[in-house]
Amino acid sequence: SSTVKDRELKQWWIRKEIFTTPSSQKEHSIGGGDEDQQQQRGSIIPFDLSVNHLQRITRAPGSPNVGLDNDDDSLVTVPEEFLPVVLPTEIDFRWRSRARSKSRPEDVVMTTAYHIVARQARSSSSTTTTTTTDGDESVIVWDSGKVDVPDGLPDVVHCEKDASFQLLDAGAIIEWRVTVWDSHHDSGGRPSSSAWTKFAIGPSHDEWDGQWISHPTDIESWSETDAGAFWGNNKEGHQDTACQNWEKRSQLPIFRAKLSPLNLLAPDGDEIASALLVVSGLGSFRASMDGMPLSSSGPLDPPLTDFAQRVSYRGYDVTPFLTGAGAEKSHVLGISMGSGWWDHRPIAGSFIRLFYFPHGAVTCIAQLYVTYKNSGKTEVLLPSGHESSGWQVAKGHLRESSLFTGEYIDLQSMAAFDGWDTTRGWTATSQTSSSEHSWVDPLVYKSDTTIESWRKSLHMKSHASIMNARKGKIIPHHKLSPIGKLIPNEIPPVMPTERISPDEVYKLDDKGRWMLDFGKGVSGMIRFEDGLPHPIVPIDGDYPRGHAVNTLDPDESFITVVYGESLELTKGDINIAVVAGMGLHDGGPKHKSKAAGSAEAKGGPCYPKDHIEAGSLLQRDVYILPRSAEGGQSSKGSFADARQSHFTTHSFRFVEVCCTAEPPTGVHALAYRTAFNEWGDFSSSSIHINGGYELVKNAMNSNMLGVQSDCPHREKIQYGGDILADSPASLHLYDMSAFYRKVVWDWGDQQWENGAYAGTSHWLGLNDYAGIGTGSGETVWASAPVVMTARHMQHYGDIKLLEESFDNHMKWFNFLLSHFDKGMKTKGYDEDLKGYVKEGSGLGDWLTFRGRDTWLTHQSFYMATARSIAYIASRL
């Protein structure tokens, strides 16, 4: 405690980055360069080019990925960390414009014309990049010609009906750029062109040759009672069974496939023009080729949707690996997996009821498109689930991965798997070995239920449908949930957008516990560039609160990393109660607000035993190594090999590392969020207002992890009310055009057949008491998709979203027409508001300074729904 008292108070208000250059004034966006440097005469410069509201990202600002040597020591560079993928029937072009430095105001009044050119990308035999010569007309896919726009630019240029794109095969990689003309009167406008950027044509759901595959253990460790085990109590022991089954498969799998040079030989000596790898995985995945990560995304890839209805896939340009010298070599494709939202630890929870999510064996799907230059032919290689593709699977070095509780990282297994996704590490499968780390043939994932049956159970549980025992059971009874249709990524992936050095590193006690203070709250994890020091055991064997691990083998040593966003006022260490996952905590040692043992009691039989002593569900990563391997031999692993967790995110400003004699060095925080551009800014003459703005932005960044959550540690899901309250600020700060489209689609997937919208997406049966009944969420929360559609139109002019969502919104409005008055009476509000006390049944305004007027908020958002629908109808 004296160490804490003696430390100088932090002076965050002198941080220089509070006053960073606004993104709208920068020359470059998150995705790379903005303009060509040749023959640029116009005063208006197009930049931030996007297709379907998605921008190519060459490198995430906080990416830890570096170029890796392939087998012959020649360097291959991954072209980008995010490549937009679209269907040929759904192509919309969009860009932003800015004034060239020192241009005349009258020349930048408006854009008077534009010209878009799209061409098929082709590799150059002399380079390892995907490029096309500017004058090569043979690969032009679409040329808009010069289009005059005397009334100003359209919000979006739609090309989905153009036959040129529809004739393209899946797997094509397209480059495009736009030229715009300014309003210079003497010359009739002067042109400026953007840089070339890229996107790819992906397969529709029906065009996939690959199948979902899983490790045999993950397929076999399910019982039919697992699906509904936590929908009721544990009287029949179904929760115990579900937990025991999960523990059999908690070790995460890794998948790989080998591409031999024979696969790359084309008829008549044709050369490869481009190669596109498409991949998805449930829960989370990271793809690599020849040992090189193809992106720094992973913790939440794909982003959360209703996986029983739709699942996003990624596309990667792997042309540099397969052309030039790479055309004569074998290559290995690797996919490492996390449990994500799909096969999480089955904790009963309190208000975060993950058991209402679809679930199944951790699984992945992939295939490789190779397009040839002369013939233009495209072939599909290595489709998963086909015996001829030779896919393999093994249990890797992650003993457990959880979005809420972190990861258990086996450093000895990690060393043993070094090079697993390269040709030097390739071995044949073994059907006789008893080791869980052996490579075996995967099994094809097959659900034993239907989406109709699953949704029917949810309908009855939410009371959107009336229960009838003769027509069906409310409790689902199956092993593996259905998997929805595959779609290209709707939003940018969750990526490291910032890399932060600690402001302070100091010793907390004499047990070997170190505190790292990163100065601001973020979501992500810390990365140990220099690895971790060797661990020590506290002299009395008594580990600090939150750092005891009692489920390991006695021969295993460990280092724990505990995350939090605030400190205990009395002790100076992390306040773990306020960031407890799912709100499972006892309040802390000095001010217990709940009975001891309440956290694990509510968590059920699968509450982590390692977290019981702490009294809270911890944000924690554990690095493990047998004591016999601590000598540092690379074949046995070393704490120096530790780097970071991959398939979880923690919310933190403070991090405790325990227990080591010396603090770790070379430590950075990787701040993750959905990688849309930040293009709004604010500054004032007031230090306090600027600091408040920074706090708001930190909170926004921390909660944008594939969905917009209200807290990135306790709950992690999206609530309609929070999105409605926060979206005006988000729309100012970021390009939310793709993100908020996904929000509307997410709620559409959760809409009940009677037209009611839920208050959350995913539906969790959370706060439904506050709605007007019959499956409806609280009126404010459930109105989010309608109001957000109107706001999206006002900001981005996206007519297509209005067309796609209008019918769903009308169903919600008709539901209100039929049920609102009756529902309000049921809540105790009569027509004359007799006995009106304001604080009725509802969620209301959570930021009010007086009693919440729930009648007013119910009525207001009934009206907001009507007004939004009227606005949408007027635009259609």
Side-chain angles (χ1 to χ4, degrees), residues 666-736:
V667 183
H668 296 88
L670 300 181
Y672 277 76
R673 69 161 168 81
T674 302
F676 37 62
N677 271 339
E678 179 184 336
W679 61 11
D681 54 83
F682 170 87
S683 63
S684 74
S685 59
S686 168
I687 277 292
H688 299 293
I689 294 176
N690 292 337
Y693 178 77
E694 184 191 23
L695 291 174
V696 169
K697 189 164 70 172
N698 290 346
M700 290 285 191
N701 286 336
S702 297
N703 280 286
M704 298 291 189
L705 299 172
V707 296
Q708 184 173 346
S709 58
D710 77 325
C711 54
H713 32 61
R714 286 165 47 92
E715 301 173 47
K716 295 181 182 282
I717 63 168
Q718 52 188 356
Y719 296 83
D722 298 87
I723 292 173
L724 286 173
D726 297 341
S727 57
S730 301
L731 289 162
H732 160 74
L733 277 169
Y734 311 107
D735 177 6
M736 302 294 288

Side-chain angles (χ1 to χ4, degrees), residues 211-277:
Q211 301 178 77
W212 293 96
I213 56 175
S214 299
H215 194 285
T217 299
D218 297 345
I219 291 286
E220 295 162 0
S221 55
W222 292 84
S223 300
E224 290 184 341
T225 57
D226 289 357
F230 292 88
W231 284 42
N233 55 46
N234 194 28
K235 288 182 179 179
E236 298 182 14
H238 294 326
Q239 294 182 10
D240 296 300
T241 300
C243 181
Q244 292 163 9
N245 286 339
W246 180 84
E247 288 173 343
K248 295 175 184 177
R249 63 180 186 270
S250 61
Q251 188 111 358
L252 276 304
I254 51 179
F255 298 83
R256 67 181 182 182
K258 188 176 182 180
L259 185 67
S260 69
L262 292 176
N263 296 94
L264 302 179
L265 293 179
D268 301 323
D270 205 348
E271 295 181 349
I272 292 175
S274 63
L276 178 73
L277 172 67

